[in-house]
Amino acid sequence: MNRLIGILLAHTSQITIPKILSSAFSVIHFNARSVNKHFSEITSFISNLQLKFSIIGISESWLNTSNDKLFDIPGYTPFISSRSNKAGGGLVMYVRNDINSCHVRDDLSTYGDDQFESLFVEITTSSYNNNSNNNYTVGLFYRPPGKSVDYFNTNLATTLTCMKTEKKRCVFMGDFNIDLFKTDRHSPSKNVLDIMNSYHFFPKITRPSRVSRESATLIENIFANCYNESFAGIFLTDITDHFPVFTGRARACSK
């Protein structure tokens, strides 16, 4: 059906809808639960938004090496990490073609690990004042439910240490299957937040990202270490039972 039911905005810093539509850098994350099944709905939804996101991240693509080259979005270059040994999972990151430069960070990405998956790219975008370039490292994650949160946290801390050394703007997005609404009673979930915060990464999403008749959870999120003049929010749609989450920085802001 592909309906846009509503938008929940957070961390807007007085950002208006026109500024969002002309943002200098923006990302959106979908948990697709099969790109093959929902690709037309996702692309139609994005087209109707009138906002050409810098990066579109998709988790649970459920693609494999036989079909992961079949789903192109006009104006974007796909970077793909598909499972080769079993079904499910999978990550796709679509990077807008007018991004100055982009390359995959294999040293940060995690492939073939049944505990979690990650795909990192490094991009260069035009500066807000067009006098220089901005570098971003963008990570896309999927951690299946029931896998070790402690294992994930250990690897996350290693990645964040590297990011701290490089001193770059960073955005991590994905389906972490770690409910940030339970940090007061689930210590591994609290540890995820504590680790992120200790490296000055903060969650952009604070409302439920998955809602059913029985529960409302915050398992999708976007963490960033860059906050000036930013906006973030959730699109309430019925594409899947996971809501898309997004964030960006307005073109008018400075470093």
Side-chain angles (χ1 to χ4, degrees):
M1 189 177 296
N2 188 22
R3 293 179 299 146
L4 174 60
I5 301 169
I7 305 174
L8 296 177
L9 290 175
H11 299 300
T12 56
S13 300
Q14 298 182 339
I15 297 299
T16 63
I17 294 297
K19 283 188 178 181
I20 290 176
L21 295 177
S22 62
S23 70
F25 176 75
S26 57
V27 303
I28 186 170
H29 168 262
F30 293 86
N31 179 313
R33 295 187 60 79
S34 177
V35 165
N36 187 42
K37 181 179 179 180
H38 295 292
F39 187 71
S40 63
E41 296 172 279
I42 291 172
T43 53
S44 176
F45 176 82
I46 291 171
S47 176
N48 290 336
L49 285 178
Q50 301 178 19
L51 168 55
K52 199 169 184 182
F53 285 93
S54 306
I55 296 181
I56 302 166
I58 296 179
S59 63
E60 284 207 87
S61 68
W62 296 7
L63 298 177
N64 55 55
T65 54
S66 69
N67 64 2
D68 62 10
K69 304 296 191 299
L70 302 179
F71 299 93
D72 289 332
I73 297 178
Y76 287 82
T77 299
F79 296 87
I80 303 166
S81 175
S82 299
R83 289 183 179 178
S84 58
N85 56 346
K86 61 179 180 179
L91 303 170
V92 185
M93 205 179 309
Y94 293 92
V95 179
R96 208 172 61 208
N97 287 341
D98 62 355
I99 297 294
N100 292 4
S101 67
C102 177
H103 65 274
V104 174
R105 291 287 303 267
D106 286 325
D107 58 319
L108 299 175
S109 301
T110 303
Y111 310 115
D113 191 324
D114 67 353
Q115 294 291 317
F116 77 97
E117 305 166 55
S118 67
L119 176 63
F120 279 80
V121 299
E122 187 167 317
I123 68 169
T124 303
T125 67
S126 298
S127 175
Y128 307 108
N129 56 19
N130 294 319
N131 292 326
S132 60
N133 292 324
N134 289 315
N135 293 100
Y136 288 88
T137 301
V138 181
L140 175 61
F141 291 81
Y142 176 64
R143 191 192 73 84
K147 299 299 183 179
S148 171
V149 181
D150 290 333
Y151 178 86
F152 175 78
N153 286 346
T154 298
N155 285 271
L156 176 65
T158 300
T159 300
L160 288 169
T161 298
C162 180
M163 295 293 92
K164 182 178 180 180
T165 302
E166 295 184 4
K167 298 180 179 179
K168 290 182 177 140
R169 294 185 179 91
C170 303
V171 176
F172 294 175
M173 60 179 166
D175 182 353
F176 300 90
N177 274 301
I178 298 168
D179 189 359
L180 294 190
F181 288 155
K182 295 182 178 178
T183 56
D184 60 337
R185 56 189 184 278
H186 184 240
S187 58
S189 298
K190 181 178 183 299
N191 290 342
V192 172
L193 194 58
D194 288 345
I195 291 169
M196 288 286 196
N197 291 172
S198 69
Y199 287 88
H200 304 289
F201 280 72
F202 299 97
K204 306 285 286 184
I205 307 303
T206 56
R207 304 286 187 90
S209 63
R210 190 181 190 191
V211 177
S212 69
R213 292 182 179 179
E214 295 79 25
S215 65
T217 57
L218 179 51
I219 58 175
E220 280 91 6
N221 219 309
I222 302 172
F223 294 86
N225 65 357
C226 42
Y227 256 74
N228 293 342
E229 293 293 320
S230 64
F231 59 85
I234 301 170
F235 290 117
L236 307 182
T237 78
D238 56 3
I239 298 174
T240 73
D241 59 348
H242 297 254
F243 296 144
V245 295
F246 64 93
T247 191
R249 300 182 73 191
R251 192 171 296 277
C253 76
S254 58
K255 286 187 178 181

